[in-house]
Amino acid sequence: MTTTYEAVIGLEIHAELMTNTKMFCGCRVVDSVEADPNTAVCPVCSGMPGMLPVINRRAVEFALRVALALNCEVQSHNIFARKNYFYPDLPKAYQISQYELPLGLNGWLDVEVAGETRRIGIRRVHMEEDTGKLTHLERGHLERGHLERGHLERGHSQSGHLETGGSLVDYNRSGVPLLEIVSEPDIRSGEEARAYAVAIRQILRYLNVNSGDMEKGVLRVEPNISVRPAGSQTFGTRTELKNLNSFRSLAEGTAYEIERQIGILNAGGQIVQETRGWHEGRRETFSQRTKEEAEDYRYFPEPDLPPLHIAPEWVEAIRTSLPELPQSKAARYMADWGLSAYEAGVVTEERAVAEWLETAVAAGGDPKTVVNWLINNLFSLMNEHKQSIEAIKVTPAGLVDLIKLVDDATISHSAAKTVLAEMYSRGATAETIVAAKGLAQISDADALSQIINQTLVDNPDQVQAYRDGKTTLKGWFVGQVMKATRGKANPALVNQLLNQALSDPQ
Ligand code: ADP
Ligand code: MG
Ligand code: ZN
């Protein structure tokens, strides 16, 4: 008999906070890819002896936003702790983190997976500082010019040993405020892990505390994965998965790890508690190192920082200033505007898009119609030009004006698409473009009747054939009228007037 297994997964998510300055010093937080290495560093964040850290109030505020948005209980008494370990990216040889008394505890987040709502517990949300960044060189790397801008010149001007390999360290990231969000082991599949991580990223972006850019490493997701016989209440031995730089890798890596563990257990083996890496090319996990136990870090209260007391009034002020979150927006759009779950999901993915839509509706746009224009037209223009909604020239009120021109039949729907593309590239109003391009439809019944009558007079044979029963000629007549008006006749009106004219014996 084969055992059925259930997966048990808990996620640790590290998010850098987009403050102006670092967690414990005045150095600026800079883009890890664009800034030159080691240009945003001071004695505090490079671990010089005797330097004293000072807590960044803004970082605490950002952390509080997240803790509250994730329904955590906020601890008013916070202490920072030293997590001791040696590694070249950690110049102090300890990381200031939170251990026993973290900022937020016992939160939760509801996640939709395959049409079902799953509530995932949030064990803790705590503040810490990021480490520096190492770049490991392979022999010959410098000669082959594989390094990015900046590294190369420095590498050459420095000692020769780099040219035979070695590692470079950039302390720009050292001391950047970092938030760790630890879930309960409530997740049951790779897809659920992905849905939870996507929802966390979306909330971080709504709160303006993190850009969510996984490729740049400002958001790092590490699942802890174990399996157990279905129905069992005890946990199996877990592995922790690292180097996942996309949601796809998170889902696939987790699924791979679940199957790997089940395979070992079915073969009578045992799971080794360890940290495993995800090999992006081979799409499989591999052993990186066996796991340290917490006591290896010799955590103790940070003696250079006083306990941090967080005033309840401050917490309440932040709570009231939180933006409406994506799930609540989506639910509201479905209830009030009749959007489908799909539509509501798409337009709430980004806070800026949701706000753009709300502005358009406030300007008198019909929600469904505006959403259709967004999803079917504006998003493709944005994709084509690689622009976010904040950057585009089409304003919410501008789109509403365009929709009005379609509604009152001034222009056809297909002409409106041309107008939108023009509005997108030039930023002109719909009216201006319609006038300049002569796109207005002829909806004047008298003018159209004249053209129709002339068409019938010019084509007596076809009229006779039609009246003798060849009704398929109707389309041909419509085509003649369209040609005469250079495509500008209001098609519905042409149809109606043609029917009359053709049935009237002349
Ligand atoms: P650490 O990794 O620092 O030891 P924790 O023990 O608190 O921290 O766990 C980290 C994450 O691992 C949490 O998200 C938790 O839910 C998850 N976790 C703990 N035990 C297991 C397990 N047996 N299987 C899967 N996930 C687990
Ligand atoms: Mg861990
Ligand atoms: Zn500094």
Side-chain angles (χ1 to χ4, degrees), residues 258-329:
I258 293 168
E259 289 312 313
R260 188 189 68 87
Q261 293 184 10
I262 292 174
I264 291 174
L265 295 179
N266 277 339
Q270 279 193 330
I271 310 302
V272 179
Q273 180 164 343
E274 63 184 352
T275 300
R276 297 179 68 85
W278 170 245
H279 196 292
E280 191 66 35
R282 290 202 291 270
R283 311 210 76 71
E284 58 189 34
T285 67
F286 60 93
S287 177
Q288 277 188 327
R289 60 185 159 93
T290 54
K291 181 135 180 59
E292 306 90 350
E293 292 301 325
E295 50 268 34
D296 287 349
Y297 291 123
R298 295 184 296 116
Y299 278 103
F300 62 86
E302 167 59 63
D304 289 341
L305 287 171
L308 173 69
H309 291 283
I310 296 178
E313 302 79 52
W314 191 34
V315 176
E316 286 322 302
I318 292 170
R319 196 195 299 278
T320 25
S321 73
L322 288 183
E324 185 184 17
L325 293 175
Q327 288 176 351
S328 136
K329 273 195 192 297

Side-chain angles (χ1 to χ4, degrees), residues 12 224 238 240 291:
E12 292 168 78
N224 289 263
R238 70 180 141 132
E240 181 171 344
K291 181 135 180 59

Side-chain angles (χ1 to χ4, degrees), residues 54 77 84 106 283 312 317 343 373 383 410 464:
V54 177
H77 182 68
N84 298 278
N106 304 324
R283 311 210 76 71
E343 291 167 332
W373 277 97
N383 281 341
T410 305
Q464 196 52 54

